[in-house]
Each structure stands twice: as structure tokens, then as C-alpha cells.
Amino acid sequence: MGTRGNISKSAAFATIIVERVMDVFILSFFAAIILIFFPVPVYFKKIGVTIVILNILIFSLLLVMHKKSTIFIKIIEKPLSIFGEKIKERVRKLIFAFTEGLNILEKRSGFILAIVLSFGIWSITGLIFYILFFSFPIRLPLYAAFLDMTILTFGIMIPSTSGFIGTFQFFVKEGLMIFNVDPNIALSYSIMLYASQFILVVGIGLISLWL
């Protein structure tokens, strides 16, 4: 993105961080609705609250970095002094470039649009999870699909294998087993879901590269 868009890698990385935080907020919203209004295990409610709190802390840190970038740089510079002026200057430039990517936090219209788009994308994804239920003997309500999607998304944030192979199937399967879905059916569902998303994402990526 940095090369094609002619922007610094740090600024591009910052936009990715903001995007991820927005994604987590949307998913936390879905999770909160499900945890409050629908019957789920108690331990899932505790996990959901923990994730929301962590997300608020991360978002707050990003705001501080953006609003008080000069102060933040001064704090970082002190321990970096032992590495010499050259490295300290490089880190300073990286942080400034990173904070540039957080400018969307000040642009209200752009920020709202980003949230709306993120909400739309995850809503469609949740519907895909739900529609695929009908290809298997899985008769669960819509909220189960959204909860499974949320569990999967938070699960694959854990460093794992390339392409999330294994991790993807594990979390989809575990999410369905909460609702007493047969483990073999849940595994088959996870493999089909992975294949459908892999083909779609890779296909769109190849088309984008060709264009």
C-alpha cells in the first residue's frame, strides 16, 4: 500500500492499526449485543468485557500518540539516546510518519465513513457465516453466526501459521460447539468456510494486481 499509494510505510502501517481497532470495535459491538441479549456461557461474557476494555485502552493510546506526538517522541527519545543520534532521528521520523496515518481520527466525516463501511463489511461477513449453515445440518439463529465470526476473528489475531490454516478451523469449530453442533459437522463447516473465503480473497487480490 505504501509503494502503490506513494505514502510512507509508517503512515500506511498507522492506517492499518486504525482499521484493526475499528474492526475490533465493531466486533466488540456485535459481541456485546449477543452477550447481553442472548444465552451464552458466562465465561464468554467475561472474555467479551476484557476485549472491550483492552480495545478502549489501545484506542486511547492512539489518540494520545496523535494529539501529543511531540511529547510522546520526547519520552521515546530518552532511552534511545544510548543508540546514537542517527538511530534516534530515524525513530523520530518513523513516529511522525505514523502519527500522520492517524489523521483520520480528526476528520469526523472520514472517521464516520470508515466506521459505517467497517460495520457493513462485518455485517455481510456474518450473513455469509449464517447462509453457509444451510449447506449443513446446522440450524442455529443468526446471532450464533455472528458470535462464531467474532470468536474466529479474535482467535486468528493470535500469531499462527501462514494463512491461518488450522487456527481458522479450530476457532470456527469451537464457536459452533458452544451451540452443541456435532464436532465433525463443525469441522466440515469450517473447512468449507475457509475454502470459500480463501478463493474469494485470493481471486480479488489477483484481479487487483492485474488491474
Side-chain angles (χ1 to χ4, degrees):
M1 183 171 70
T3 303
R4 287 178 174 268
N6 195 29
I7 58 178
S8 70
K9 292 181 179 179
S10 298
F13 180 67
T15 61
I16 293 172
I17 294 295
V18 173
E19 177 193 358
R20 286 301 180 189
V21 171
M22 288 182 181
D23 288 343
V24 173
F25 263 116
I26 298 300
L27 291 168
S28 297
F29 171 77
F30 287 144
I33 297 297
I34 294 169
L35 295 174
I36 293 171
F37 295 104
F38 299 97
V40 293
V42 175
Y43 67 90
F44 259 98
K45 293 187 177 183
K46 294 180 180 179
I47 293 173
V49 171
T50 303
I51 290 173
V52 170
I53 292 174
L54 287 174
N55 194 45
I56 291 173
L57 291 174
I58 292 171
F59 193 74
S60 300
L61 177 61
L62 292 176
L63 283 175
V64 171
M65 285 182 64
H66 181 61
K67 293 289 186 179
K68 305 292 183 180
S69 58
T70 304
I71 297 175
F72 187 80
I73 289 173
K74 287 182 179 179
I75 295 173
I76 296 296
E77 280 182 339
K78 289 182 179 180
L80 289 175
S81 299
I82 59 175
F83 297 105
E85 189 64 30
K86 187 176 180 180
I87 292 178
K88 188 168 71 173
E89 182 62 27
R90 183 176 296 179
V91 172
R92 183 188 299 135
K93 289 180 179 179
L94 285 173
I95 295 174
F96 267 122
F98 184 85
T99 54
E100 286 178 11
L102 300 177
N103 285 335
I104 190 175
L105 299 177
E106 286 189 351
K107 299 175 182 177
R108 183 174 299 179
S109 60
F111 186 64
I112 293 174
L113 178 60
I115 292 177
V116 171
L117 290 174
S118 183
F119 184 85
I121 290 170
W122 285 112
S123 295
I124 292 171
T125 303
L127 288 174
I128 292 173
F129 273 65
Y130 179 68
I131 292 170
L132 192 60
F133 282 171
F134 296 96
S135 297
F136 297 84
I138 301 175
R139 297 298 176 262
L140 295 175
L142 180 61
Y143 76 84
F146 276 82
L147 182 60
D148 195 38
M149 175 188 70
T150 303
I151 292 170
L152 167 65
T153 306
F154 286 133
I156 61 177
M157 289 181 181
I158 302 171
S160 60
T161 58
S162 178
F164 310 115
I165 297 175
T167 309
F168 186 102
Q169 288 76 19
F170 173 79
F171 284 105
V172 171
K173 176 184 173 183
E174 292 299 314
L176 291 177
M177 288 175 62
I178 294 172
F179 300 96
N180 299 316
V181 175
D182 181 88
N184 294 322
I185 294 175
L187 179 60
S188 299
Y189 172 88
S190 69
I191 293 171
M192 180 62 72
L193 180 66
Y194 181 87
S196 63
Q197 294 201 355
F198 180 82
I199 292 171
L200 179 63
V201 171
V202 172
I204 293 175
L206 291 174
I207 293 172
S208 299
L209 285 173
W210 182 67
L211 294 176

